[in-house]
């Protein structure tokens, strides 16, 4: 046991222990430094640069693509509306080719009657009074209205 105690206090043992402790400190400081060091390596930076370049390069074409797709959709909806309108006009043209429909429209719109028939137009007297009250000048002769306009313009100059 005396040999072991003596070996424990020998200079070589102390230097070896001191070296091991120093190595442990250096290893701990290196691991801390590596942990603190940024994880952005050269490859990661290059990859980020390439990705940013691709995003910037593709942004304008993608925007144009989206806007053109929207324009195409608008034009297709306009085309569909035009087709529907053409179909309605064709139907209307076909109806006008029928003599019974044409006669019905002529009677309704132009107030025509067949020979031997008596045509009547019923006017609501209340509605007629309202229209005259709104117009005010409808039951006067046209020259009276013109003369009143001249008088009003002459009065505004004074």
């Amino acid at each position: 046991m005396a040999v072991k105690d003596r070996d424990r206090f020998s200079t070589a043992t102390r230097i070896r222990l001191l070296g091991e402790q120093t190595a442990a400190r250096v290893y701990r400081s290196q691991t801390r430094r590596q942990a603190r060091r940024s994880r952005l390596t050269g490859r990661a930076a290059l990859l980020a640069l390439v990705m940013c370049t691709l995003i910037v390069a593709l942004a304008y074409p993608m925007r144009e693509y989206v806007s053109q797709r929207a324009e195409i959709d608008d034009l297709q909806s306009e085309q569909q509306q035009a087709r529907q309108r053409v179909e309605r006009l064709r139907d209307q043209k076909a109806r006008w080719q029928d003599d019974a429909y044409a006669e019905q429209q002529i009677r309704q719109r132009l107030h025509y009657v067949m020979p031997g028939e008596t045509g009547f137009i019923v006017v609501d007297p209340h509605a007629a009074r309202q229209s005259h009250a709104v117009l005010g000048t409808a039951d006067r002769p046209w020259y009276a209205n013109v003369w009143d306009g001249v008088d009003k313009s002459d009065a505004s100059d004074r």
Side-chain angles (χ1 to χ4, degrees):
M1 181 129 171
V3 176
K4 268 190 166 179
D5 287 336
R6 196 174 56 147
D7 192 36
R8 189 173 82 179
F9 294 113
S10 72
T11 308
T13 306
R14 285 186 193 164
I15 291 176
R16 188 171 26 97
L17 283 174
L18 199 61
E20 288 173 1
Q21 290 173 355
T22 307
R25 278 191 226 129
V26 167
Y27 177 73
R28 276 185 284 175
S29 69
Q30 283 180 350
T31 56
R32 283 186 204 145
R33 196 176 312 138
Q34 287 174 352
R36 276 186 267 139
R37 190 171 69 177
S38 174
R39 294 180 185 225
L40 184 66
T41 63
R43 287 182 184 173
L46 182 63
L47 179 64
L49 180 67
V50 168
M51 292 300 292
C52 289
T53 304
L54 284 175
I55 289 171
V56 168
L58 293 177
Y60 180 74
M62 285 302 294
R63 186 181 67 161
E64 287 298 313
Y65 173 77
V66 169
S67 68
Q68 287 176 0
R69 290 303 307 169
E71 187 176 350
I72 287 170
D73 291 341
D74 291 343
L75 291 174
Q76 285 176 345
S77 66
E78 285 180 22
Q79 183 181 22
Q80 183 65 26
Q81 290 172 357
R83 284 184 182 152
Q84 291 172 353
R85 184 170 182 263
V86 165
E87 190 63 33
R88 282 194 312 267
L89 290 174
R90 283 186 182 152
D91 290 345
Q92 188 176 4
K93 181 181 176 186
R95 277 184 283 177
W96 277 101
Q97 298 297 325
D98 184 21
D99 290 335
Y101 179 78
E103 181 180 334
Q104 175 194 9
Q105 292 299 314
I106 289 169
R107 283 174 170 254
Q108 183 180 3
R109 294 180 184 191
L110 301 175
H111 305 289
Y112 278 22
V113 292
M114 296 299 284
E117 293 179 352
T118 304
F120 293 100
I121 299 177
V122 179
V123 179
D124 184 17
H126 183 66
R129 281 190 214 116
Q130 284 180 345
S131 65
H132 286 303
V134 171
L135 296 176
T137 59
D139 39 335
R140 294 174 39 187
W142 66 271
Y143 50 84
N145 293 334
V146 172
W147 190 252
D148 284 343
V150 171
D151 286 341
K152 286 180 186 177
S153 66
D154 189 34
S156 66
D157 288 342
R158 292 181 192 164

